[in-house]
Amino acid sequence: MSESKNFQPLEFEHLDEAVMRRRGRDFYEQMRARRSVRDFSAAPVPRAVIEDAIRTAGSAPSGANMQPWHFAVVQSEEIKRRIRLAAEEEEREFYQRRASTEWLNALEPLGTDAHKPFLQTAPYLIVIFLKKFSSGDAGEKLKNYYTAESVGIATGMLIAALHNAGVATLTHTPSPMKFLNEILGRPATEKPYMILVAGLPAEGALVPAIEKKPLEEIAEFL
Ligand code: IYR
């Protein structure tokens, strides 16, 4: 590709093979220790850590580099309370009526129910919105591309960044989540994607005894 005013040299760190192997293994060891936490302490986490993790998420690749995401970081006790009440209302509907028996059976090992106290206990609720449209320089409406893929990648990077900084998370998706637009004042063109609960685990927190599939079951090399 020729250099032009739209291009600049790539900055890329070439690693020795031994360093490559070590860093690959170290990162895996670190990431596999991540667990979804449902029992949070109210202990504070520095805002700067959350900001850097969101900067990391914002560095994710996205369709046509449209960066179709918005992160609403909720610390306010009052807003957390309103989100919890609205989410629990939807969850009661889910557990009592909407969920199929098959779905409830699949959730059994996780021990979840309609109570979501962590939505109030944890210091941060990072509410991730997916933007179907962006606004251009003249305020015109631009279509975004591959929005679900883009926001999924950014969210994965956010979870990894928080874990790396010693912050526990829970991916929480009450369904439907439309109430988040109202509570957080986001426009109808933005779709609530996920609540990422972030903070420190409560002392003695328990997690489900579940396992991840081994490489042989999830990958093939051809
Ligand atoms: N949203 C509900 C149910 C739930 C669904 C799935 I799929 C999970 O992996 C976990 C929970 C709840 O949060 O309880």
Side-chain angles (χ1 to χ4, degrees), residues 129-179:
F129 288 89
L130 176 158
K131 296 168 69 168
K132 294 297 248 179
F133 301 93
S134 295
S135 51
D137 290 340
E140 75 277 28
K141 205 165 151 186
L142 296 175
K143 193 174 140 44
N144 290 333
Y145 304 98
Y146 294 99
T147 51
E149 292 83 349
S150 304
V151 178
I153 295 167
T155 300
M157 290 174 62
L158 179 57
I159 293 167
L162 289 168
H163 176 68
N164 177 60
V167 181
T169 58
L170 175 68
T171 51
H172 183 48
T173 53
S175 168
M177 290 195 276
K178 206 71 204 148
F179 65 86

Side-chain angles (χ1 to χ4, degrees), residues 26-37 163 207:
D26 285 352
F27 191 68
Y28 163 56
E29 297 288 354
Q30 203 200 327
M31 288 310 296
R32 77 167 180 189
R34 185 205 56 80
R35 295 299 311 262
S36 291
V37 166
H163 176 68
V207 292

Side-chain angles (χ1 to χ4, degrees), residues 65-116:
N65 193 36
M66 295 304 239
Q67 306 169 54
W69 40 65
H70 178 81
F71 302 90
V73 185
V74 179
Q75 291 183 272
S76 150
E77 294 302 331
E78 175 53 22
I79 301 175
K80 285 196 285 179
R81 191 182 70 85
R82 288 171 61 194
I83 290 176
R84 176 188 179 177
L85 292 178
E88 287 184 334
E89 206 174 301
E90 295 296 354
E91 296 291 13
R92 276 194 298 275
E93 191 62 27
F94 173 82
Y95 283 96
Q96 287 166 17
R97 271 178 285 276
R98 273 205 307 268
S100 62
T101 309
E102 186 184 1
W103 197 343
L104 291 176
N105 286 343
L107 291 178
E108 229 278 311
L110 304 183
T112 55
D113 61 25
H115 297 102
K116 304 298 173 192

Side-chain angles (χ1 to χ4, degrees), residues 1 10-11 17 21 44 51 53-54 66 69 94 104 120 128 135 138 162 165 168 171-172 178-179 208 213 222:
M1 208 173 291
L10 169 69
E11 281 175 36
E17 186 180 327
R21 287 177 185 274
E51 289 178 350
I54 294 175
M66 295 304 239
W69 40 65
F94 173 82
L104 291 176
Q120 266 184 288
I128 305 164
S135 51
L162 289 168
T171 51
H172 183 48
K178 206 71 204 148
F179 65 86
K213 294 174 184 170
L222 310 117

